Amino acid sequence: MSDVSLSVSGMIYGGWTRVRITRSIEHMAGTFDLQLTERYPAESSKIDIQLGTASKVAIDGETVITGYVFDNNPSFNARSREVAAAGRDVTGDLVDCSAINRPGEWLKAGLQKIVTELAKPFGIPVRFEAATGAVFAKFRIEEGETAFEAIDRACRMRSLLAISDGRGSLVITKPGVARAGVRLEEGVNLLSGSAGYSQNERFSRYIVKAQQPGSDDLSVEQTTHVVAEAADAGVTRYRPMLILAEDSADRKSANDRAKFEANVRAARSQSINVKVQGWRESEGGPLWSPNRLVSIKSGTLKINQEMLISQVVNTKGSGGTISELTLLPPAAFDIEPVKEKKAKGSDQGALQWIE
């Protein structure tokens, strides 16, 4: 059975009776919630965990969360006392805190430079596991946005994903670059499962209106009579959605935006949640981890396809040692390229509405 340890201030605490460790590619910072119950009289080592203390959570010696303790809730009754500690990854500071880099603007800089400098004040190193593309003509922090919002926006401009590696670093990568070594199958290794299928966020037509920079080659008529549209064949009744693009766009980028909305919304309309025994893919195998592709077959859930693990929750309690996996179609994480703003002086005329 896997064991969890919490390292704080040079001390290593184990023997936790209740465990919940959550790692996700959608929430950026992994979290942990550990509890230990001691029966009176208790003369064993006293656990003293201070708030804000740097900490590491490891499963069988493998670090999965590197961050800080943000919650400490001791309690007792007539028969026992309980120690509880919770915290999350260092990348949680990027999610919470404002980006106030000065001067806050980069000209002709690459993604690697921008993300590294945004994370630097927080003492968080950045590792790049994918090509970062061309340099930005101009990138500026938007007033009031968090460091992670700025990083995420820059990464989306290069169709990349920013996630925590659990060991104190921010990783820039692509969705689903690795595969699990086992197949999930009802009646074989699935303890339970549930599916969520919904059309609440799906529409029959996606109509995109955008702005297109005017130029000497385009007349006013040409720039004001362009529209992009995509359909979702899975929605048979009339459900249109009009999208006003946030920035300037030509016909191709408007078409891409319409297709993106149709594909991603269709993909996110189905989600699978399953539970498996243990915290590893197989005995002696790797830990279940987010951002891995895995094949799943279940007659009850009406699924037999490859899915992407978006979240892993490791739990330990009265029900044993369990991994709860959230699965989504890989298309749910197609990253929409955000249109890059031009450097001052590079605009080719005024912006006009595409209709």
Side-chain angles (χ1 to χ4, degrees):
M1 180 180 292
S2 294
D3 185 43
V4 173
S5 63
L6 173 66
S7 301
V8 181
S9 300
M11 298 292 293
I12 300 177
Y13 301 105
W16 302 98
T17 53
R18 281 178 288 174
V19 171
R20 186 177 183 87
I21 300 171
T22 302
R23 293 167 293 148
S24 172
I25 61 175
E26 296 196 82
H27 302 298
M28 179 59 182
T31 63
F32 65 88
D33 190 344
L34 310 176
Q35 296 178 351
L36 172 63
T37 301
E38 298 177 323
R39 297 186 180 278
Y40 283 129
E43 297 299 334
S44 58
S45 61
K46 295 182 179 180
I47 299 178
D48 183 19
I49 300 174
Q50 301 297 318
L51 294 180
T53 306
S55 62
K56 289 185 179 182
V57 174
I59 298 176
D60 299 333
E62 182 179 342
T63 302
V64 292
I65 293 181
T66 300
Y68 301 96
V69 175
F70 64 69
D71 214 349
N72 184 4
N73 300 308
S75 63
F76 73 93
N77 57 33
R79 294 180 300 277
S80 65
R81 65 184 181 189
E82 184 176 87
V83 177
R88 65 173 176 169
D89 270 315
V90 293
T91 49
D93 287 342
L94 297 175
V95 177
D96 296 340
C97 301
S98 299
I100 55 173
N101 298 62
R102 293 292 179 265
E105 179 178 285
W106 292 264
L107 299 177
K108 295 183 178 180
L111 180 69
Q112 187 166 349
K113 178 179 176 62
I114 294 169
V115 173
T116 299
E117 291 188 2
L118 283 166
K120 185 177 180 180
F122 301 92
I124 299 174
V126 186
R127 189 170 74 253
F128 293 82
E129 296 183 346
T132 56
V135 299
F136 291 82
K138 177 181 179 181
F139 184 86
R140 170 181 288 181
I141 296 172
E142 294 181 356
E143 192 71 24
E145 73 179 340
T146 65
F148 176 69
E149 287 171 339
I151 290 171
D152 181 59
R153 181 162 53 86
C155 287
R156 287 196 297 123
M157 290 180 186
R158 295 297 178 262
S159 297
L160 295 173
L161 183 69
I163 60 176
S164 168
D165 70 351
R167 297 184 294 277
S169 296
L170 180 68
V171 179
I172 309 303
T173 185
K174 286 185 173 294
V177 294
R179 282 180 168 79
V182 298
R183 182 183 187 184
L184 299 172
E185 188 169 354
E186 183 178 357
V188 178
N189 57 359
L190 292 180
L191 298 177
S192 65
S194 63
Y197 301 118
S198 173
Q199 283 197 344
N200 284 343
E201 299 297 324
R202 293 176 67 176
F203 298 86
S204 59
R205 296 171 61 207
Y206 296 88
I207 305 163
V208 174
K209 289 186 176 182
Q211 286 182 309
Q212 178 171 277
S215 72
D216 295 337
D217 298 325
L218 292 175
S219 66
V220 173
E221 289 76 13
Q222 287 175 309
T223 60
T224 58
H225 292 86
V226 178
V227 66
E229 185 172 335
D232 183 345
V235 181
T236 56
R237 68 185 185 278
Y238 181 69
R239 279 177 57 80
M241 181 182 192
L242 177 64
I243 301 166
L244 299 180
E246 295 84 356
D247 207 337
S248 60
D250 55 20
R251 182 180 291 277
K252 181 182 182 304
S253 59
N255 276 325
D256 289 344
R257 173 67 185 276
K259 292 176 182 177
F260 168 85
E261 290 289 346
N263 293 339
V264 171
R265 286 175 178 268
R268 285 186 172 269
S269 71
Q270 52 180 315
S271 64
I272 304 293
N273 293 279
V274 297
K275 292 183 179 181
V276 297
Q277 190 71 52
W279 293 342
R280 296 185 178 276
E281 295 179 6
S282 59
E283 187 174 354
L287 294 169
W288 286 107
S289 299
N291 203 29
R292 287 180 179 266
L293 296 167
V294 64
S295 295
I296 177 171
K297 181 180 180 181
S298 169
T300 303
L301 304 183
K302 298 178 174 58
I303 187 169
N304 183 11
Q305 68 182 72
E306 191 171 65
M307 301 282 277
L308 183 67
I309 303 173
S310 68
Q311 178 173 282
V312 176
V313 181
N314 303 118
T315 63
K316 178 183 178 182
S318 58
T321 303
I322 305 294
S323 290
E324 303 174 9
L325 311 179
T326 300
L327 312 176
L328 291 171
F333 291 91
D334 283 345
I335 302 174
E336 178 196 7
V338 178
K339 190 171 180 63
E340 180 183 340
K341 292 184 178 180
K342 296 180 180 179
K344 185 177 181 180
S346 64
D347 294 328
Q348 299 296 318
L351 295 175
Q352 299 178 351
W353 278 107
I354 298 173
E355 297 196 31

